[in-house]
Amino acid sequence: MRALAQFSAWVGRTFALWAVLLGLAGFFFPDLFTPLKSLIVPALGVVMFGMGLTLKVEDFAEIAKRPRQVLVGLAAQFVIMPLLALLLVRVFNLDPAVALGVILVGCCPGGTSSNVITFLAKGDVALSVTITSFSTVLAPLLTPLLLQFYAGELIDIELLSMMITVAKIVLLPIILGVIVHRLLGEKIQPAIDVLPLVSVVAIVLIVAIVVALSHTKIAESGLLIFAVVVLHNILGYALGYLLARFNGFSYAQQRAIMVEVGMQNSGLGAALASKYFTPEAAVPSALFSVWHNISGALLASFCAKKEER
């Protein structure tokens, strides 16, 4: 079991590599992955259940200890990223389907790997976990509402249906995971040890399927979409950091909020785009899944070296 846990940890650390490889596989061998479209939503549910297993009820009490930092992080998450998405969509005059996908990514909660990146960046992990947890819990309400507000002119949003879907694939699995953790305690540690492996397999499978479903669109304008995704991510980091610094937070807290703002739950974006919109609308989410893990690793390395100096 120890060997499996070590292998799982290694897979988690090399997440970006597997995302790139599976993305390329989806692009060059689409026929292998397009029949698996129905697995996108269940795969994300597995990731969210795994996230719930790592949480304790006490984690949600962190907001009482430092409400200002948590609330600033949450506000930054749900204000900065949607606004950046809207700005980039207009600056680059993107195709409506792709524009919808970019805005959808911006309206999603924080990414599930942000806590690991915060840890590697010598940031405030407890704050990161709290912001991720609360943003994810708020996602069933805020993600559809924000999408309706910023992208309602592009397409009719099935608001109530989307809220129910997000609750089913995000909130319900997390609640179940928290309950299981509460009931079993330390007995679930072996399962937690292999979560990085399970999560990576699920997310890279989503990436491969989304890329396969829209490989034609990627071939036509993939570089432009990728450029928008990169800018969205990097500007999110920068503005998150500046906001935390402006508020006088500690260096560790600045790094946590920077990472939380820049990294999105793009798996949720891919799942919603695939269910409610078109394969093209899921492309930004797939590319974001690949890129933000690469940028996150680079950012964490930079921050860690700066801390050592």
Side-chain angles (χ1 to χ4, degrees), residues 126-204:
L127 178 61
S128 174
V129 170
T130 304
I131 295 173
T132 301
S133 303
F134 274 95
S135 69
T136 304
V137 168
L138 291 171
L141 176 65
L142 292 183
T143 295
L145 284 175
L146 288 170
L147 188 62
Q148 171 72 49
F149 182 77
Y150 287 110
E153 62 183 28
L154 296 175
I155 193 169
D156 290 331
I157 310 295
E158 298 177 38
L159 196 60
L160 181 59
S161 175
M162 187 176 290
M163 286 181 176
I164 294 172
T165 296
V166 178
K168 285 180 179 178
I169 64 178
V170 173
L171 192 56
L172 183 58
I174 285 179
I175 292 173
L176 290 174
V178 172
I179 292 172
V180 170
H181 192 163
R182 185 75 172 180
L183 293 175
L184 300 181
E186 294 302 315
K187 294 179 182 178
I188 64 167
Q189 191 56 48
I192 292 176
D193 289 340
V194 299
L195 278 180
L197 175 61
V198 175
S199 297
V200 168
V201 169
I203 292 296
V204 299

Side-chain angles (χ1 to χ4, degrees), residues 77-157:
Q77 173 70 59
F78 286 116
V79 173
I80 288 175
M81 293 306 275
L83 285 174
L84 279 177
L86 186 64
L87 175 64
L88 291 168
V89 159
R90 292 183 174 176
V91 167
F92 287 92
N93 193 28
L94 296 178
D95 175 87
V98 176
L100 176 63
V102 172
I103 294 172
L104 176 55
V105 171
C107 296
C108 285
T112 53
S113 56
S114 61
N115 309 142
V116 176
I117 297 301
T118 299
F119 170 75
L120 295 174
K122 310 293 185 183
D124 188 329
V125 178
L127 178 61
S128 174
V129 170
T130 304
I131 295 173
T132 301
S133 303
F134 274 95
S135 69
T136 304
V137 168
L138 291 171
L141 176 65
L142 292 183
T143 295
L145 284 175
L146 288 170
L147 188 62
Q148 171 72 49
F149 182 77
Y150 287 110
E153 62 183 28
L154 296 175
I155 193 169
D156 290 331
I157 310 295

